[in-house]
Structures are given as structure tokens and as C-alpha cells.
Amino acid sequence: MTSETLQKAREYEERFGVYIQPQERPAFHLSTRVGWMNDPNGFSFYRGKYHLFYQYHPYSTKWGPMHWGHAVSDDLIRWEYLPAALAPDQPYDDAGCFSGSALELPDGSQLIMYTGVRSLLNEDGTRSDLQTQCLAVGDGLDYEKYRFNPVLSEDDLPRGFSRTDFRDPKMFKNPDGTYGCVVGCRTDDDSGAILLFESSDGFSWHFSTVLDRCYNEFGKMWECPDFFELGRKRVIMCSPQDMSALGLEFHNGNGTMFLIGDYNETTRTFRRETVQAVDYGLDFYAPQSTLTPDGRRIIVGWMQNWDTCVSQPASVKWFGQMTLPRELSVRDGRIVQAPVRELDGFHSRRISYSDIPVREETTLRGVYGRTIDMTVTVKPLPGECYTQFRMKVAAGSQHYTSVTYTPQTSTLRVSRDHSGSNRDFVHVRECLVRDRGGCLKLRIILDRYSAEIFVNDGEQVLTLTFYTALSADGISFQCHGKAAHISVEKYDIIL
Ligand code: FRU
């Protein structure tokens, strides 16, 4: 049965969503139907379609009591809104239906697990959240909350784990038909851990083990965990809060990481080998993965970061968009990412240039746009390497977003210093890329208000948003020191 709270949200989005014109939104990235969006939730393939739910506050462009928004897609590029799926309408979730996941049950229904939040009044008058894991079952459109909710609460936690920071369950199916679920939790040293729970039917859950712990090394509380196989590796993906920078790594405060290692199924032991940031840009958080029917592990992230939420001008009627879904694979022990191949199906108006010598700031006929997929290859001239390569995108008379590569230090820098913001928050990020003797390959995807930059076939990705007028659609190239040869292949994305 649809509660009054959910009905109200559904009527609100139906009534007001239409006031946001399609051209005011990203063209092929999912943005909130109305109001506010944060984390991707319940990313799954169900009854022939991809389902992507999201943390949702329909009533304003600010975070508020969390609902779950809902959209579906055949191809991960064109999204269609469905009515909101969950609302905070029960005593155990009346302060919010926080992040969670979805999977298909053997009877063909879709099971959602999410964090139900209750706000408790402490003895000293302060408030804290009680977080429990709750279920809802549905048909891809309407969901009924489980009558025995919550299914995981403080009673299921081992000693020393927090009941107020216990959230974001990500379920998965085991090959033997049983289920596992990873949940983020705060430990008594005030940092994070990933707990594994198990179930034979998806409804009755018990604690299994602590898969990995932070011990205050990588941030504090670990939010939005995920756990999957990739090639011969096992990966925990999570989003630590309060990260401290390490060299050029982990500058986001709210960061993201892959913990790459091995897993022993019998003893349920995860052995971490390496740690890698998921994204090196300014606006990326809380990614979640799913498996496509053809076996690709893909992730989608919130194309925003908590500390950069002031970035969106007040005139923008919606808040929050997702990244493009990205395919993961392992190369030389590192995880590499590529835009989902479905994007190629929307390529049109190909423009290409090969080995153009570039020194002064140069524009190329036909190379412009704000909804594009463009690959740029830079090659130094024999024996003489340039000192800096610089590219501007989304460039107009006053504004541009820049990407700068310095071969001597192998650093790539993105900047939206001149992307129209009148707020003083972080606009620049730098990351280390592999030294290839001055050769560089960038695949840049622009979708009106964002850029996703895949470096050297996805060894690093840098994601950022900016809100300049769409008429600022110029692109230019420039080299300092010496010239370099630039090749460009550009497609417009037309849905
Ligand atoms: C991550 C997060 C989650 C939580 C949700 C609340 O961005 O803080 O841990 O479930 O957002 O909206």
C-alpha cells in the first residue's frame, strides 16, 4: 500500500518535475526528477531494464528527509523517471530512508535493503540517529516495506560497533543461491569498518565477519560499501569520510577508494593488497556497482561531493546528477575505468584530426560542444618535449574549464577557476599519471554541466561539474616550450 507520505512525494514530483526543461538538465546523465539527489541506490538489472534509485528530497534543492527517487533505462544512457519508490513513513525510518541496494529474488520480485533512520533524543538534549537495515519488496514500480523491519539492528552488531553509524547495505547473490551484504559501520576507535552479513533467503540476516577495517588510516567512517569480484581480484569499494591528503592522493575530504585484494570464501577472509582512489576530480562520491547481463562490472557515482555542494548557482532548479556508468577492469594490478560502451551508440557527427602541430592556442574547425565524447592524443615531437599542454573546454568569452598536463612531473591538473563560480570553494585538483615520455591520451565527456576525463585509457578519471552558459562551448589546445602533435576525434552525443 502506498503511504500518504509517499503519495505526497509522487504527486509533488509529477506536478513540478515538468517545470524543469530538458535543456536545463544534463542530456545523458541522470539528474534528480525534482529537488535534491545524492547517492545512487539499488543499481540493478531487473526485468529487462536497469534500475537506478537515488537519495532524494523532492521538496527542495537541499538535503532533507530522504526518499528514494527512481529511474529506469534500457541502455544506461537514456533514463526514464518512475514514481518515487520509498518515503520516510514508518517509525523505524521516519528520519530518512538512507542508501541501500536491490536484487531480484527467485520468485521474480525485487528486494530492496536500505538504512532506516530514527532520530533519538539523548539525555543531554542533543539528538543522534539510530540506524537499522530494513527491507522492501516490489515489482519494479511499487514497494511494500517488510512487516518484520528492521532486519538488522544494534542487536546484530559485535561489541565496539556503533548503532548510530551503521548504514548503506549492499546486497549480493552468492553462486550457491544464498545472499551476502556489506554494511559500513563506525568502530570504537572512531573510524570505519566493512561488516559482512549473510542470509539464506534475503529476509533473515546474521552477522558473519568484519571484512576490513580502517584503523584511522584511510579517513574515518566508511560509507556506501560494495564488494565484488573483478578479474582474479576481490574489491571492496567504499567512500570514507574525513580523509587526509597523502601526496596527491585523497584530497576530497569525502573520498572514494577501491581496496583490492583476495578473498577466501571458506574462511570469509578478505586480504587487502592495494588501495586506489576511484576518482581524482572534484565532484564524485558514493559510487555503487552492478553486474550487466553480459558480465560487465559497472559503477555509477554521485557527480558531486558534500564539500562542493555550494557549486550550483541558486538559479538552477535541480540539485544533483549521477556520473556516466563506467565499466571496470583490472590492468597491471590497477583498476581502470571506461565509459559504458553503450555511449558509442549515440555518437554522431564525427570530426577528426591527426597529428596537428600545436603551439599557440589553437582551435580546430568543428571541435566544440557541450554534449560531446572527445578523445585527444598528445605526442611530443621527436627529441623535443613540450613543457606543458593545456586544453580549454566549455570556453566562452569569459569562462572556461582547463586541463593542463606537465610531462616533467607527470601531473594532470583540472581547473574550474574560470568556470563562472562566485563561491570560494575548491576549484582545482591535480593528480599523478603514468609517465609516457610526454605522450598523453584523454577521453573527455562533456554533458552540459560536467566533464569526466578518462586519462590514458581510464588509468585515472577526474570528474567535475560547472554551471556556465551552454553558449560557452569552445575548445582550444596549446603547448608551451615546444610544439606537440595533437590528434582529436570528437563526436556529438545525440539521443
Ligand atoms: C553518503 C551518505 C550515506 C547515507 C546517505 C544519506 O553520501 O551519507 O552514508 O546513507 O548519504 O543521504
Side-chain angles (χ1 to χ4, degrees), residues 36 38-39 41 55-56 63-64 66 97-100 115 117 131 167-168 221-224 239 241 254 285-286 302 306:
W36 162 282
N38 58 290
D39 314 355
N41 293 159
Q55 289 285 279
Y56 184 34
W63 191 87
M66 281 289 107
C97 299
F98 275 20
S99 285
T115 300
V117 183
Q131 303 191 337
R167 59 179 173 272
D168 310 334
M221 169 68 187
W222 286 357
E223 298 188 309
C224 300
S239 298
Q241 295 180 307
N254 291 289
Y285 196 61
W302 180 37
W306 288 106

PDB file of all heavy atoms in Angstrom, residues 36 38-39 41 55-56 63-64 66 97-100 115 117 131 167-168 221-224 239 241 254 285-286 302 306, ligand 1:
ATOM      1  N   TRP A  36      16.295  17.552  -4.797  1.00  0.00           N
ATOM      2  CA  TRP A  36      17.685  17.185  -4.458  1.00  0.00           C
ATOM      3  C   TRP A  36      17.953  15.710  -4.699  1.00  0.00           C
ATOM      4  O   TRP A  36      17.093  14.859  -4.403  1.00  0.00           O
ATOM      5  CB  TRP A  36      17.917  17.496  -2.978  1.00  0.00           C
ATOM      6  CG  TRP A  36      19.085  16.812  -2.358  1.00  0.00           C
ATOM      7  CD1 TRP A  36      19.155  15.505  -1.948  1.00  0.00           C
ATOM      8  CD2 TRP A  36      20.369  17.380  -2.066  1.00  0.00           C
ATOM      9  NE1 TRP A  36      20.399  15.228  -1.415  1.00  0.00           N
ATOM     10  CE2 TRP A  36      21.163  16.358  -1.471  1.00  0.00           C
ATOM     11  CE3 TRP A  36      20.926  18.653  -2.238  1.00  0.00           C
ATOM     12  CZ2 TRP A  36      22.469  16.583  -1.058  1.00  0.00           C
ATOM     13  CZ3 TRP A  36      22.230  18.865  -1.812  1.00  0.00           C
ATOM     14  CH2 TRP A  36      22.992  17.843  -1.233  1.00  0.00           C
ATOM     15  N   ASN A  38      21.199  12.738  -3.918  1.00  0.00           N
ATOM     16  CA  ASN A  38      22.591  12.342  -3.659  1.00  0.00           C
ATOM     17  C   ASN A  38      22.804  10.889  -4.054  1.00  0.00           C
ATOM     18  O   ASN A  38      22.457  10.543  -5.202  1.00  0.00           O
ATOM     19  CB  ASN A  38      23.114  12.756  -2.268  1.00  0.00           C
ATOM     20  CG  ASN A  38      22.378  12.271  -1.055  1.00  0.00           C
ATOM     21  OD1 ASN A  38      21.285  12.701  -0.784  1.00  0.00           O
ATOM     22  ND2 ASN A  38      22.982  11.392  -0.289  1.00  0.00           N
ATOM     23  N   ASP A  39      23.377  10.061  -3.232  1.00  0.00           N
ATOM     24  CA  ASP A  39      23.912   8.752  -3.657  1.00  0.00           C
ATOM     25  C   ASP A  39      23.034   7.922  -4.619  1.00  0.00           C
ATOM     26  O   ASP A  39      21.821   7.842  -4.438  1.00  0.00           O
ATOM     27  CB  ASP A  39      24.094   7.816  -2.451  1.00  0.00           C
ATOM     28  CG  ASP A  39      24.749   8.462  -1.271  1.00  0.00           C
ATOM     29  OD1 ASP A  39      25.169   9.616  -1.366  1.00  0.00           O
ATOM     30  OD2 ASP A  39      24.828   7.797  -0.233  1.00  0.00           O
ATOM     31  N   ASN A  41      21.440   4.483  -5.517  1.00  0.00           N
ATOM     32  CA  ASN A  41      20.956   3.356  -4.687  1.00  0.00           C
ATOM     33  C   ASN A  41      20.350   2.292  -5.583  1.00  0.00           C
ATOM     34  O   ASN A  41      19.840   2.603  -6.673  1.00  0.00           O
ATOM     35  CB  ASN A  41      19.836   3.832  -3.744  1.00  0.00           C
ATOM     36  CG  ASN A  41      20.301   4.813  -2.661  1.00  0.00           C
ATOM     37  OD1 ASN A  41      19.501   5.556  -2.108  1.00  0.00           O
ATOM     38  ND2 ASN A  41      21.575   4.845  -2.349  1.00  0.00           N
ATOM     39  N   GLN A  55      19.129   8.769  -3.556  1.00  0.00           N
ATOM     40  CA  GLN A  55      18.772   9.521  -2.357  1.00  0.00           C
ATOM     41  C   GLN A  55      18.119  10.818  -2.827  1.00  0.00           C
ATOM     42  O   GLN A  55      18.687  11.550  -3.655  1.00  0.00           O
ATOM     43  CB  GLN A  55      20.037   9.802  -1.525  1.00  0.00           C
ATOM     44  CG  GLN A  55      20.599   8.564  -0.854  1.00  0.00           C
ATOM     45  CD  GLN A  55      19.765   8.152   0.339  1.00  0.00           C
ATOM     46  OE1 GLN A  55      19.902   8.707   1.406  1.00  0.00           O
ATOM     47  NE2 GLN A  55      18.875   7.173   0.174  1.00  0.00           N
ATOM     48  N   TYR A  56      16.973  11.118  -2.262  1.00  0.00           N
ATOM     49  CA  TYR A  56      16.079  12.077  -2.911  1.00  0.00           C
ATOM     50  C   TYR A  56      15.331  12.904  -1.876  1.00  0.00           C
ATOM     51  O   TYR A  56      14.730  12.350  -0.940  1.00  0.00           O
ATOM     52  CB  TYR A  56      15.104  11.224  -3.724  1.00  0.00           C
ATOM     53  CG  TYR A  56      14.096  11.888  -4.607  1.00  0.00           C
ATOM     54  CD1 TYR A  56      14.364  13.075  -5.278  1.00  0.00           C
ATOM     55  CD2 TYR A  56      12.853  11.279  -4.814  1.00  0.00           C
ATOM     56  CE1 TYR A  56      13.410  13.628  -6.120  1.00  0.00           C
ATOM     57  CE2 TYR A  56      11.904  11.826  -5.659  1.00  0.00           C
ATOM     58  CZ  TYR A  56      12.187  12.996  -6.301  1.00  0.00           C
ATOM     59  OH  TYR A  56      11.249  13.532  -7.143  1.00  0.00           O
ATOM     60  N   TRP A  63      19.406  18.937   0.937  1.00  0.00           N
ATOM     61  CA  TRP A  63      19.220  17.631   1.558  1.00  0.00           C
ATOM     62  C   TRP A  63      18.112  17.740   2.620  1.00  0.00           C
ATOM     63  O   TRP A  63      18.031  18.734   3.338  1.00  0.00           O
ATOM     64  CB  TRP A  63      20.548  17.199   2.205  1.00  0.00           C
ATOM     65  CG  TRP A  63      20.563  15.775   2.655  1.00  0.00           C
ATOM     66  CD1 TRP A  63      20.901  14.691   1.907  1.00  0.00           C
ATOM     67  CD2 TRP A  63      20.247  15.282   3.959  1.00  0.00           C
ATOM     68  NE1 TRP A  63      20.802  13.546   2.666  1.00  0.00           N
ATOM     69  CE2 TRP A  63      20.402  13.882   3.932  1.00  0.00           C
ATOM     70  CE3 TRP A  63      19.830  15.878   5.147  1.00  0.00           C
ATOM     71  CZ2 TRP A  63      20.172  13.073   5.046  1.00  0.00           C
ATOM     72  CZ3 TRP A  63      19.600  15.077   6.258  1.00  0.00           C
ATOM     73  CH2 TRP A  63      19.771  13.687   6.198  1.00  0.00           C
ATOM     74  N   GLY A  64      17.259  16.741   2.711  1.00  0.00           N
ATOM     75  CA  GLY A  64      16.182  16.723   3.713  1.00  0.00           C
ATOM     76  C   GLY A  64      15.815  15.281   3.976  1.00  0.00           C
ATOM     77  O   GLY A  64      16.536  14.378   3.549  1.00  0.00           O
ATOM     78  N   MET A  66      15.182  11.753   3.714  1.00  0.00           N
ATOM     79  CA  MET A  66      15.489  11.038   2.482  1.00  0.00           C
ATOM     80  C   MET A  66      14.375  10.103   2.012  1.00  0.00           C
ATOM     81  O   MET A  66      13.881   9.270   2.762  1.00  0.00           O
ATOM     82  CB  MET A  66      16.781  10.224   2.665  1.00  0.00           C
ATOM     83  CG  MET A  66      18.027  11.063   2.557  1.00  0.00           C
ATOM     84  SD  MET A  66      18.361  11.624   0.867  1.00  0.00           S
ATOM     85  CE  MET A  66      17.959  13.337   0.954  1.00  0.00           C
ATOM     86  N   CYS A  97      15.035   7.371   4.668  1.00  0.00           N
ATOM     87  CA  CYS A  97      15.380   6.079   4.067  1.00  0.00           C
ATOM     88  C   CYS A  97      16.723   6.303   3.402  1.00  0.00           C
ATOM     89  O   CYS A  97      16.805   6.843   2.295  1.00  0.00           O
ATOM     90  CB  CYS A  97      14.345   5.666   3.026  1.00  0.00           C
ATOM     91  SG  CYS A  97      12.700   5.459   3.713  1.00  0.00           S
ATOM     92  N   PHE A  98      17.786   5.932   4.097  1.00  0.00           N
ATOM     93  CA  PHE A  98      19.140   6.181   3.609  1.00  0.00           C
ATOM     94  C   PHE A  98      19.531   5.142   2.554  1.00  0.00           C
ATOM     95  O   PHE A  98      18.759   4.249   2.206  1.00  0.00           O
ATOM     96  CB  PHE A  98      20.124   6.188   4.783  1.00  0.00           C
ATOM     97  CG  PHE A  98      20.230   7.520   5.494  1.00  0.00           C
ATOM     98  CD1 PHE A  98      19.244   8.490   5.383  1.00  0.00           C
ATOM     99  CD2 PHE A  98      21.332   7.809   6.303  1.00  0.00           C
ATOM    100  CE1 PHE A  98      19.341   9.720   6.038  1.00  0.00           C
ATOM    101  CE2 PHE A  98      21.448   9.033   6.961  1.00  0.00           C
ATOM    102  CZ  PHE A  98      20.458   9.979   6.838  1.00  0.00           C
ATOM    103  N   SER A  99      20.788   5.227   2.117  1.00  0.00           N
ATOM    104  CA  SER A  99      21.246   4.445   0.958  1.00  0.00           C
ATOM    105  C   SER A  99      21.132   2.935   1.149  1.00  0.00           C
ATOM    106  O   SER A  99      21.184   2.430   2.271  1.00  0.00           O
ATOM    107  CB  SER A  99      22.702   4.793   0.647  1.00  0.00           C
ATOM    108  OG  SER A  99      22.725   6.052   0.035  1.00  0.00           O
ATOM    109  N   GLY A 100      21.044   2.236   0.028  1.00  0.00           N
ATOM    110  CA  GLY A 100      20.951   0.783   0.052  1.00  0.00           C
ATOM    111  C   GLY A 100      20.988   0.208  -1.350  1.00  0.00           C
ATOM    112  O   GLY A 100      21.391   0.881  -2.306  1.00  0.00           O
ATOM    113  N   THR A 115      18.865   1.713   4.694  1.00  0.00           N
ATOM    114  CA  THR A 115      19.047   2.061   6.101  1.00  0.00           C
ATOM    115  C   THR A 115      17.879   2.924   6.565  1.00  0.00           C
ATOM    116  O   THR A 115      17.618   3.990   5.990  1.00  0.00           O
ATOM    117  CB  THR A 115      20.378   2.824   6.303  1.00  0.00           C
ATOM    118  OG1 THR A 115      21.436   1.960   5.880  1.00  0.00           O
ATOM    119  CG2 THR A 115      20.587   3.201   7.763  1.00  0.00           C
ATOM    120  N   VAL A 117      16.405   5.361   9.323  1.00  0.00           N
ATOM    121  CA  VAL A 117      16.987   6.245  10.333  1.00  0.00           C
ATOM    122  C   VAL A 117      15.897   6.793  11.244  1.00  0.00           C
ATOM    123  O   VAL A 117      14.859   7.274  10.773  1.00  0.00           O
ATOM    124  CB  VAL A 117      17.755   7.420   9.668  1.00  0.00           C
ATOM    125  CG1 VAL A 117      18.412   8.295  10.723  1.00  0.00           C
ATOM    126  CG2 VAL A 117      18.814   6.882   8.708  1.00  0.00           C
ATOM    127  N   GLN A 131      20.431   3.859  13.424  1.00  0.00           N
ATOM    128  CA  GLN A 131      20.408   3.362  12.043  1.00  0.00           C
ATOM    129  C   GLN A 131      20.245   1.848  12.037  1.00  0.00           C
ATOM    130  O   GLN A 131      20.993   1.132  12.723  1.00  0.00           O
ATOM    131  CB  GLN A 131      21.692   3.780  11.317  1.00  0.00           C
ATOM    132  CG  GLN A 131      21.867   5.307  11.363  1.00  0.00           C
ATOM    133  CD  GLN A 131      22.965   5.839  10.457  1.00  0.00           C
ATOM    134  OE1 GLN A 131      23.889   5.129  10.099  1.00  0.00           O
ATOM    135  NE2 GLN A 131      22.832   7.110  10.089  1.00  0.00           N
ATOM    136  N   ARG A 167      25.325   1.820   8.312  1.00  0.00           N
ATOM    137  CA  ARG A 167      24.448   2.147   7.179  1.00  0.00           C
ATOM    138  C   ARG A 167      24.960   1.670   5.819  1.00  0.00           C
ATOM    139  O   ARG A 167      26.091   1.239   5.674  1.00  0.00           O
ATOM    140  CB  ARG A 167      24.202   3.654   7.119  1.00  0.00           C
ATOM    141  CG  ARG A 167      25.447   4.511   6.970  1.00  0.00           C
ATOM    142  CD  ARG A 167      25.060   5.993   6.908  1.00  0.00           C
ATOM    143  NE  ARG A 167      26.223   6.865   6.934  1.00  0.00           N
ATOM    144  CZ  ARG A 167      26.799   7.312   8.035  1.00  0.00           C
ATOM    145  NH1 ARG A 167      26.305   6.984   9.217  1.00  0.00           N
ATOM    146  NH2 ARG A 167      27.869   8.089   7.964  1.00  0.00           N
ATOM    147  N   ASP A 168      24.072   1.831   4.841  1.00  0.00           N
ATOM    148  CA  ASP A 168      24.335   1.657   3.410  1.00  0.00           C
ATOM    149  C   ASP A 168      24.570   0.190   3.010  1.00  0.00           C
ATOM    150  O   ASP A 168      25.627  -0.165   2.460  1.00  0.00           O
ATOM    151  CB  ASP A 168      25.528   2.531   2.951  1.00  0.00           C
ATOM    152  CG  ASP A 168      25.396   3.975   3.401  1.00  0.00           C
ATOM    153  OD1 ASP A 168      24.253   4.419   3.610  1.00  0.00           O
ATOM    154  OD2 ASP A 168      26.424   4.661   3.559  1.00  0.00           O
ATOM    155  N   MET A 221      34.703   7.255   9.161  1.00  0.00           N
ATOM    156  CA  MET A 221      33.591   6.353   8.837  1.00  0.00           C
ATOM    157  C   MET A 221      33.627   5.993   7.347  1.00  0.00           C
ATOM    158  O   MET A 221      33.789   6.865   6.498  1.00  0.00           O
ATOM    159  CB  MET A 221      32.282   7.077   9.183  1.00  0.00           C
ATOM    160  CG  MET A 221      31.035   6.418   8.680  1.00  0.00           C
ATOM    161  SD  MET A 221      30.697   4.840   9.493  1.00  0.00           S
ATOM    162  CE  MET A 221      29.320   4.265   8.522  1.00  0.00           C
ATOM    163  N   TRP A 222      33.510   4.704   7.023  1.00  0.00           N
ATOM    164  CA  TRP A 222      33.461   4.264   5.634  1.00  0.00           C
ATOM    165  C   TRP A 222      32.001   4.112   5.216  1.00  0.00           C
ATOM    166  O   TRP A 222      31.298   3.234   5.723  1.00  0.00           O
ATOM    167  CB  TRP A 222      34.204   2.935   5.474  1.00  0.00           C
ATOM    168  CG  TRP A 222      35.689   3.074   5.533  1.00  0.00           C
ATOM    169  CD1 TRP A 222      36.413   4.222   5.653  1.00  0.00           C
ATOM    170  CD2 TRP A 222      36.651   2.008   5.466  1.00  0.00           C
ATOM    171  NE1 TRP A 222      37.770   3.941   5.657  1.00  0.00           N
ATOM    172  CE2 TRP A 222      37.937   2.587   5.553  1.00  0.00           C
ATOM    173  CE3 TRP A 222      36.550   0.622   5.334  1.00  0.00           C
ATOM    174  CZ2 TRP A 222      39.110   1.829   5.515  1.00  0.00           C
ATOM    175  CZ3 TRP A 222      37.723  -0.122   5.302  1.00  0.00           C
ATOM    176  CH2 TRP A 222      38.985   0.477   5.391  1.00  0.00           C
ATOM    177  N   GLU A 223      31.574   4.934   4.276  1.00  0.00           N
ATOM    178  CA  GLU A 223      30.176   4.897   3.831  1.00  0.00           C
ATOM    179  C   GLU A 223      30.063   4.092   2.532  1.00  0.00           C
ATOM    180  O   GLU A 223      31.044   3.867   1.819  1.00  0.00           O
ATOM    181  CB  GLU A 223      29.675   6.321   3.581  1.00  0.00           C
ATOM    182  CG  GLU A 223      29.692   7.208   4.819  1.00  0.00           C
ATOM    183  CD  GLU A 223      29.000   8.549   4.588  1.00  0.00           C
ATOM    184  OE1 GLU A 223      29.331   9.239   3.601  1.00  0.00           O
ATOM    185  OE2 GLU A 223      28.140   8.906   5.387  1.00  0.00           O
ATOM    186  N   CYS A 224      28.854   3.702   2.226  1.00  0.00           N
ATOM    187  CA  CYS A 224      28.476   3.121   0.932  1.00  0.00           C
ATOM    188  C   CYS A 224      29.430   2.022   0.441  1.00  0.00           C
ATOM    189  O   CYS A 224      30.004   2.141  -0.654  1.00  0.00           O
ATOM    190  CB  CYS A 224      28.371   4.217  -0.126  1.00  0.00           C
ATOM    191  SG  CYS A 224      27.155   5.452   0.311  1.00  0.00           S
ATOM    192  N   SER A 239      33.386   4.706   0.453  1.00  0.00           N
ATOM    193  CA  SER A 239      33.536   6.167   0.452  1.00  0.00           C
ATOM    194  C   SER A 239      33.826   6.642   1.867  1.00  0.00           C
ATOM    195  O   SER A 239      32.914   6.823   2.664  1.00  0.00           O
ATOM    196  CB  SER A 239      32.242   6.810  -0.069  1.00  0.00           C
ATOM    197  OG  SER A 239      31.999   6.414  -1.398  1.00  0.00           O
ATOM    198  N   GLN A 241      34.684   9.079   4.933  1.00  0.00           N
ATOM    199  CA  GLN A 241      34.534  10.485   5.304  1.00  0.00           C
ATOM    200  C   GLN A 241      35.844  10.959   5.923  1.00  0.00           C
ATOM    201  O   GLN A 241      36.613  10.154   6.441  1.00  0.00           O
ATOM    202  CB  GLN A 241      33.436  10.627   6.359  1.00  0.00           C
ATOM    203  CG  GLN A 241      32.060  10.262   5.863  1.00  0.00           C
ATOM    204  CD  GLN A 241      31.007  10.428   6.956  1.00  0.00           C
ATOM    205  OE1 GLN A 241      31.149   9.893   8.035  1.00  0.00           O
ATOM    206  NE2 GLN A 241      29.949  11.154   6.652  1.00  0.00           N
ATOM    207  N   ASN A 254      35.676  13.950   1.606  1.00  0.00           N
ATOM    208  CA  ASN A 254      34.868  12.747   1.412  1.00  0.00           C
ATOM    209  C   ASN A 254      35.441  12.059   0.177  1.00  0.00           C
ATOM    210  O   ASN A 254      35.194  12.493  -0.948  1.00  0.00           O
ATOM    211  CB  ASN A 254      33.396  13.095   1.177  1.00  0.00           C
ATOM    212  CG  ASN A 254      32.770  13.660   2.428  1.00  0.00           C
ATOM    213  OD1 ASN A 254      32.549  12.951   3.399  1.00  0.00           O
ATOM    214  ND2 ASN A 254      32.520  14.953   2.425  1.00  0.00           N
ATOM    215  N   TYR A 285      31.303  10.934  -5.541  1.00  0.00           N
ATOM    216  CA  TYR A 285      31.177  10.306  -4.224  1.00  0.00           C
ATOM    217  C   TYR A 285      30.178   9.158  -4.293  1.00  0.00           C
ATOM    218  O   TYR A 285      29.344   9.085  -5.195  1.00  0.00           O
ATOM    219  CB  TYR A 285      30.702  11.351  -3.185  1.00  0.00           C
ATOM    220  CG  TYR A 285      30.921  10.887  -1.770  1.00  0.00           C
ATOM    221  CD1 TYR A 285      32.193  10.610  -1.285  1.00  0.00           C
ATOM    222  CD2 TYR A 285      29.843  10.707  -0.899  1.00  0.00           C
ATOM    223  CE1 TYR A 285      32.387  10.172   0.022  1.00  0.00           C
ATOM    224  CE2 TYR A 285      30.032  10.275   0.414  1.00  0.00           C
ATOM    225  CZ  TYR A 285      31.317  10.000   0.855  1.00  0.00           C
ATOM    226  OH  TYR A 285      31.513   9.558   2.136  1.00  0.00           O
ATOM    227  N   ALA A 286      30.303   8.271  -3.318  1.00  0.00           N
ATOM    228  CA  ALA A 286      29.332   7.213  -3.047  1.00  0.00           C
ATOM    229  C   ALA A 286      29.010   6.316  -4.249  1.00  0.00           C
ATOM    230  O   ALA A 286      27.840   5.997  -4.481  1.00  0.00           O
ATOM    231  CB  ALA A 286      28.031   7.841  -2.512  1.00  0.00           C
ATOM    232  N   TRP A 302      27.705   9.488  -7.479  1.00  0.00           N
ATOM    233  CA  TRP A 302      27.040  10.793  -7.358  1.00  0.00           C
ATOM    234  C   TRP A 302      28.039  11.814  -7.893  1.00  0.00           C
ATOM    235  O   TRP A 302      29.179  11.864  -7.407  1.00  0.00           O
ATOM    236  CB  TRP A 302      26.729  11.043  -5.884  1.00  0.00           C
ATOM    237  CG  TRP A 302      26.050  12.331  -5.562  1.00  0.00           C
ATOM    238  CD1 TRP A 302      25.101  12.981  -6.289  1.00  0.00           C
ATOM    239  CD2 TRP A 302      26.259  13.121  -4.369  1.00  0.00           C
ATOM    240  NE1 TRP A 302      24.698  14.128  -5.643  1.00  0.00           N
ATOM    241  CE2 TRP A 302      25.387  14.237  -4.467  1.00  0.00           C
ATOM    242  CE3 TRP A 302      27.079  12.995  -3.248  1.00  0.00           C
ATOM    243  CZ2 TRP A 302      25.326  15.217  -3.470  1.00  0.00           C
ATOM    244  CZ3 TRP A 302      27.014  13.975  -2.260  1.00  0.00           C
ATOM    245  CH2 TRP A 302      26.146  15.068  -2.371  1.00  0.00           C
ATOM    246  N   TRP A 306      30.172  16.306  -0.952  1.00  0.00           N
ATOM    247  CA  TRP A 306      29.459  17.069   0.084  1.00  0.00           C
ATOM    248  C   TRP A 306      30.047  18.470   0.240  1.00  0.00           C
ATOM    249  O   TRP A 306      29.319  19.431   0.450  1.00  0.00           O
ATOM    250  CB  TRP A 306      29.484  16.315   1.417  1.00  0.00           C
ATOM    251  CG  TRP A 306      28.584  15.118   1.372  1.00  0.00           C
ATOM    252  CD1 TRP A 306      28.963  13.813   1.286  1.00  0.00           C
ATOM    253  CD2 TRP A 306      27.152  15.118   1.369  1.00  0.00           C
ATOM    254  NE1 TRP A 306      27.855  12.994   1.236  1.00  0.00           N
ATOM    255  CE2 TRP A 306      26.736  13.772   1.288  1.00  0.00           C
ATOM    256  CE3 TRP A 306      26.180  16.118   1.423  1.00  0.00           C
ATOM    257  CZ2 TRP A 306      25.389  13.399   1.261  1.00  0.00           C
ATOM    258  CZ3 TRP A 306      24.843  15.746   1.398  1.00  0.00           C
ATOM    259  CH2 TRP A 306      24.461  14.413   1.318  1.00  0.00           C
TER     260      TRP A 306
HETATM  261  C1  FRU B   1      26.662   9.192   1.646  1.00  0.00           C
HETATM  262  C2  FRU B   1      25.571   9.201   2.709  1.00  0.00           C
HETATM  263  C3  FRU B   1      25.241   7.791   3.138  1.00  0.00           C
HETATM  264  C4  FRU B   1      23.826   7.926   3.615  1.00  0.00           C
HETATM  265  C5  FRU B   1      23.266   8.957   2.666  1.00  0.00           C
HETATM  266  C6  FRU B   1      22.236   9.860   3.274  1.00  0.00           C
HETATM  267  O1  FRU B   1      26.680  10.275   0.816  1.00  0.00           O
HETATM  268  O2  FRU B   1      25.988   9.990   3.796  1.00  0.00           O
HETATM  269  O3  FRU B   1      26.117   7.236   4.087  1.00  0.00           O
HETATM  270  O4  FRU B   1      23.124   6.726   3.551  1.00  0.00           O
HETATM  271  O5  FRU B   1      24.349   9.730   2.211  1.00  0.00           O
HETATM  272  O6  FRU B   1      21.598  10.617   2.299  1.00  0.00           O
END
